[in-house]
């Protein structure tokens, strides 16, 4: 569409397809930016009508828009919705039946698709990659949904995310001269540090920034200290009882905890269930459905629950255990009150010494140790890896090789030649890896600072997420600290 956008046509297509009168800010601006092929970084709290921002430009243009998404459920939801409107969208992932997969690949070759949803691993798999780099196949954009997946390290980290920055240059090499396409990264949560990582990892070129404040005037934040494991359960029970028949979520940090706690809640008469990544796809879908239909008042879940599930009337969210990262916290409390009516978010933490109840301390320590292990492995491997090589070969030869390379990339010790191979930048400097791990520790401390702050909770969050001018003298008036002062 070039630089000139026929805005009348854009709006009328929007109205025709989705039936809304007009865009909600900043939807219109994002659509315009994508139509003019500009890179963009969009930090938009959940429930902000995000997917329309990239679906509409994709549908308005000839050619293909790639949407990289971390979860099958997320891709399925969006593709089903688009297809119900007879729009040319499809998804490819491991659970797709063979026949449908063949049909989608054919549609890709015929260029009859406008939107293709896929995981980063699928995008970089040979059958897809070979088709995408066909010179005649026109690509209009690469959309990264849930872009924070690229930033958050941990046991669920997927090294393919780190390599997405190499996708555009590698594809453009095969396209006619002068070809361009835009990259847009969407996330509900990214502080300035995370924004920088997203920008550099994806190699965004002078991206337009759309940063929307995380503040939610209807979310009431509260942290409560408890002394014993028993006290923790009693506090939670009290909180649930105070929200009789209201829809909610209980967050814990591990599969085992979600099962234990769900069992205990069942034993005291609640109809609930554990939800975590260890359950099968069908089982998860069924629980989501029951919760959406209010057959279950709440589920006891890990962070596996949430992305892509939209329930407007969630009146409460409890963190039975605090998340490790502030960005996880923001995402998880963000499931509450999407209908803009009041919602309560309570986090339970043990007293700071950990003498009476060491659980919280132990969990944080365990997480840090796991991370340190990853860093140490990267350091060790960095001495053994060839200076240049194929990522696949390295991950076959060395356990943890792909993650180690991703960490080395993030410490600026290796660069990608394309999404499949790397080269060391000069001599590996172990100090740089150490610095990276120190930054990570710093990020984790932020969560502890938040839990212990005596000032307005939202003021702390505004500062942490880069909205420092809004944060000056900010008092929400409805968090525990504002109410106590
Ligand atoms: Zn406040």
């Amino acid at each position: 569409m070039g630089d000139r956008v026929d805005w009348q046509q854009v709006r009328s297509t929007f109205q025709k397809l989705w039936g809304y009168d007009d865009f909600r800010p900043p939807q219109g601006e994002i659509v315009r930016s994508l139509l003019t092929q500009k890179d963009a970084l969009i930090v938009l709290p959940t429930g902000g009508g995000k997917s329309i921002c990239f679906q509409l430009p994709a549908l308005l243009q000839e050619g293909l828009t790639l949407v990289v998404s971390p979860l099958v459920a997320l891709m399925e939801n969006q593709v089903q919705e688009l297809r119900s409107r007879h729009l040319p969208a499809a998804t490819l992932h491991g659970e797709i039946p063979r026949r449908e997969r063949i049909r989608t690949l054919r549609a890709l070759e015929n260029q009859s698709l406008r939107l293709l949803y896929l995981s980063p691993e699928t995008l970089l798999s040979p059958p897809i990659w070979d088709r995408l780099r066909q010179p005649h196949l026109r690509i209009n954009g690469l959309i990264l949904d849930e872009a924070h997946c690229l930033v958050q390290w941990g046991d669920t980290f997927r090294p393919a995310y780190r390599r997405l920055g190499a996708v555009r240059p590698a594809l453009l090499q095969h396209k006619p001269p002068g070809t361009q396409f835009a990259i847009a990264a969407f996330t509900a949560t990214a502080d300035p540090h995370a924004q920088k990582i997203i920008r550099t990892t994806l190699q965004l070129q002078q991206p337009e920034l759309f940063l929307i404040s995380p503040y939610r005037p209807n979310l009431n934040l509260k942290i409560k200290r408890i002394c014993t494991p028993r006290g923790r359960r009693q506090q939670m029970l009290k909180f649930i009882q105070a929200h009789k028949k209201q829809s909610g979520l209980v967050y814990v940090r591990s599969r085992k905890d979600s099962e234990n706690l769900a069992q205990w809640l069942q034993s005291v008469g609640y109809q609930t269930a554990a939800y975590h990544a260890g359950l099968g796809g069908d089982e998860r879908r069924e629980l989501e459905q029951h919760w959406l239909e209010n057959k279950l008042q709440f589920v006891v879940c890990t962070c596996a629950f949430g992305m892509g599930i939209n329930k407007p009337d969630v009146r409460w969210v409890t963190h039975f255990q605090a998340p490790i990262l502030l960005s996880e916290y923001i995402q998880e409390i963000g499931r509450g009150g999407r209908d803009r009516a009041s919602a309560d978010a309570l986090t339970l933490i043990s007293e700071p010494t950990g003498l009476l109840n060491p659980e919280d301390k132990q969990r944080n320590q365990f997480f840090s140790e796991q991370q340190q292990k990853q860093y140490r492995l990267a350091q060790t491997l960095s001495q053994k890896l060839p200076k240049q090589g194929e990522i696949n070969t390295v991950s076959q030869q060395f356990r943890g090789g792909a993650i180690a390379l991703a960490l080395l990339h993030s410490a600026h010790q290796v660069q990608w030649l394309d999404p499949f191979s790397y080269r060391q930048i000069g001599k590996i400097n172990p100090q740089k890896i150490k610095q990276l791990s120190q930054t990570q520790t710093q990020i984790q401390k932020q969560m502890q600072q938040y839990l212990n702050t005596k000032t307005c909770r939202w003021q702390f969050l505004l500062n942490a997420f880069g909205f420092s001018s809004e944060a000056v003298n900010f008092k929400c008036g409805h968090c525990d600290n504002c109410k106590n002062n």
Side-chain angles (χ1 to χ4, degrees), residues 456-458 475-479 482:
C456 172
R457 306 267 176 209
W458 278 113
K475 281 197 173 57
C476 76
H478 55 97
C479 73
C482 278

Side-chain angles (χ1 to χ4, degrees), residues 123-167:
L123 170 68
L124 299 178
S125 67
I128 310 303
W129 188 257
D130 289 344
R131 285 174 170 88
L132 291 178
R133 64 177 191 182
Q134 294 298 318
H136 67 274
L137 192 118
R138 182 165 159 185
I139 298 173
N140 286 322
L142 174 65
I143 307 297
L144 195 62
D145 202 5
E146 311 289 348
H148 56 270
C149 291
L150 190 146
V151 183
Q152 286 176 3
W153 294 92
D155 47 2
T156 54
F157 178 74
R158 288 152 67 176
Y161 266 98
R162 272 306 309 180
R163 284 143 56 190
L164 290 174
V167 162

Side-chain angles (χ1 to χ4, degrees), residues 130-334:
D130 289 344
R131 285 174 170 88
L132 291 178
R133 64 177 191 182
Q134 294 298 318
H136 67 274
L137 192 118
R138 182 165 159 185
I139 298 173
N140 286 322
L142 174 65
I143 307 297
L144 195 62
D145 202 5
E146 311 289 348
H148 56 270
C149 291
L150 190 146
V151 183
Q152 286 176 3
W153 294 92
D155 47 2
T156 54
F157 178 74
R158 288 152 67 176
Y161 266 98
R162 272 306 309 180
R163 284 143 56 190
L164 290 174
V167 162
R168 176 163 59 184
L171 284 177
L172 287 180
Q173 264 187 9
H174 297 273
K175 305 293 173 188
T179 308
Q180 286 178 18
F181 66 83
I183 302 179
F186 287 79
T187 173
T189 160
D191 62 18
H193 175 71
Q195 289 166 26
K196 203 176 139 206
I197 293 177
I198 293 172
R199 287 173 69 155
T200 49
T201 309
L202 293 176
Q203 302 179 25
L204 299 184
Q205 287 159 11
Q206 297 161 329
E208 293 213 39
L209 299 178
F210 299 94
L211 309 176
I212 311 300
S213 156
Y215 177 57
R216 301 265 305 276
N218 61 324
L219 259 187
N220 312 314
L221 307 179
K222 189 175 180 178
I223 314 296
K224 186 133 184 93
R225 276 189 194 289
I226 38 85
C227 287
T228 61
R230 188 169 174 272
R232 192 178 285 247
R233 290 183 165 182
Q234 294 309 324
Q235 274 302 332
M236 187 188 49
L237 213 52
K238 227 170 102 183
F239 184 72
I240 298 174
Q241 281 160 354
H243 292 86
K244 234 183 206 105
K245 292 191 175 157
Q246 291 178 341
S247 187
L249 287 171
V250 177
Y251 274 101
V252 292
R253 304 330 299 174
S254 75
R255 294 177 187 186
K256 204 172 131 228
D257 286 332
S258 80
E259 273 165 4
N260 288 345
L261 188 60
Q263 226 168 44
W264 181 75
L265 282 160
Q266 285 160 0
S267 78
V268 295
Y270 280 94
Q271 214 192 347
T272 185
Y275 182 109
H276 52 72
L279 303 178
D282 289 343
E283 210 173 340
R284 284 166 69 170
R285 265 352 83 70
E286 193 185 319
L287 286 178
E288 287 162 13
Q289 212 50 42
H290 284 172
W291 181 69
L292 285 167
E293 291 164 3
N294 295 320
K295 285 181 194 156
L296 287 175
Q297 188 199 351
F298 61 90
V299 289
V300 183
C301 56
T302 63
C303 63
F305 191 87
M307 270 195 263
I309 306 166
N310 203 356
K311 191 173 199 297
D313 63 341
V314 178
R315 293 278 71 84
W316 58 274
V317 176
T318 312
H319 282 96
F320 186 70
Q321 296 153 339
I324 302 283
L325 302 173
L326 209 49
S327 56
E328 295 176 290
Y329 175 75
I330 272 275
Q331 272 209 309
E332 292 169 0
I333 59 169

Side-chain angles (χ1 to χ4, degrees), residues 240-444:
I240 298 174
Q241 281 160 354
H243 292 86
K244 234 183 206 105
K245 292 191 175 157
Q246 291 178 341
S247 187
L249 287 171
V250 177
Y251 274 101
V252 292
R253 304 330 299 174
S254 75
R255 294 177 187 186
K256 204 172 131 228
D257 286 332
S258 80
E259 273 165 4
N260 288 345
L261 188 60
Q263 226 168 44
W264 181 75
L265 282 160
Q266 285 160 0
S267 78
V268 295
Y270 280 94
Q271 214 192 347
T272 185
Y275 182 109
H276 52 72
L279 303 178
D282 289 343
E283 210 173 340
R284 284 166 69 170
R285 265 352 83 70
E286 193 185 319
L287 286 178
E288 287 162 13
Q289 212 50 42
H290 284 172
W291 181 69
L292 285 167
E293 291 164 3
N294 295 320
K295 285 181 194 156
L296 287 175
Q297 188 199 351
F298 61 90
V299 289
V300 183
C301 56
T302 63
C303 63
F305 191 87
M307 270 195 263
I309 306 166
N310 203 356
K311 191 173 199 297
D313 63 341
V314 178
R315 293 278 71 84
W316 58 274
V317 176
T318 312
H319 282 96
F320 186 70
Q321 296 153 339
I324 302 283
L325 302 173
L326 209 49
S327 56
E328 295 176 290
Y329 175 75
I330 272 275
Q331 272 209 309
E332 292 169 0
I333 59 169
R335 319 270 175 232
R338 290 196 182 171
D339 56 5
R340 294 170 195 230
S342 179
D344 296 321
L346 171 73
T347 304
L348 299 171
I349 54 169
S350 50
E351 43 79 37
T353 63
L355 290 173
L356 292 164
N357 181 7
E359 285 174 55
D360 286 3
K361 258 199 165 153
Q362 284 166 354
R363 204 175 39 253
N364 284 337
Q365 249 163 24
F366 178 75
F367 183 81
S368 300
E369 278 162 21
Q370 289 303 101
Q371 280 213 315
Q372 291 309 322
K373 251 193 224 162
Q374 276 189 354
Y375 287 110
R376 277 198 302 272
L377 182 66
Q379 271 195 33
T380 319
L381 283 186
S382 69
Q383 306 303 319
K384 297 182 187 163
L385 296 177
K387 288 198 165 41
Q388 188 169 332
E390 298 287 318
I391 296 158
N392 270 345
T393 319
V394 166
S395 54
Q396 278 159 17
Q397 275 177 348
F398 303 93
R399 233 182 100 233
I403 289 193
L405 275 176
L407 271 173
L408 290 170
H409 182 259
S410 138
H412 308 292
Q413 299 298 293
V414 304
Q415 63 184 118
W416 311 132
L417 298 171
D418 57 44
F420 313 100
S421 53
Y422 72 95
R423 179 172 62 201
Q424 279 183 16
I425 307 171
K427 201 174 165 339
I428 297 277
N429 178 357
Q431 211 50 39
K432 292 276 182 191
I433 302 167
K434 205 168 165 200
Q435 278 169 16
L436 198 67
S437 95
Q438 283 162 349
T439 315
Q440 198 60 39
T441 313
Q442 220 38 52
I443 293 172
Q444 286 167 35

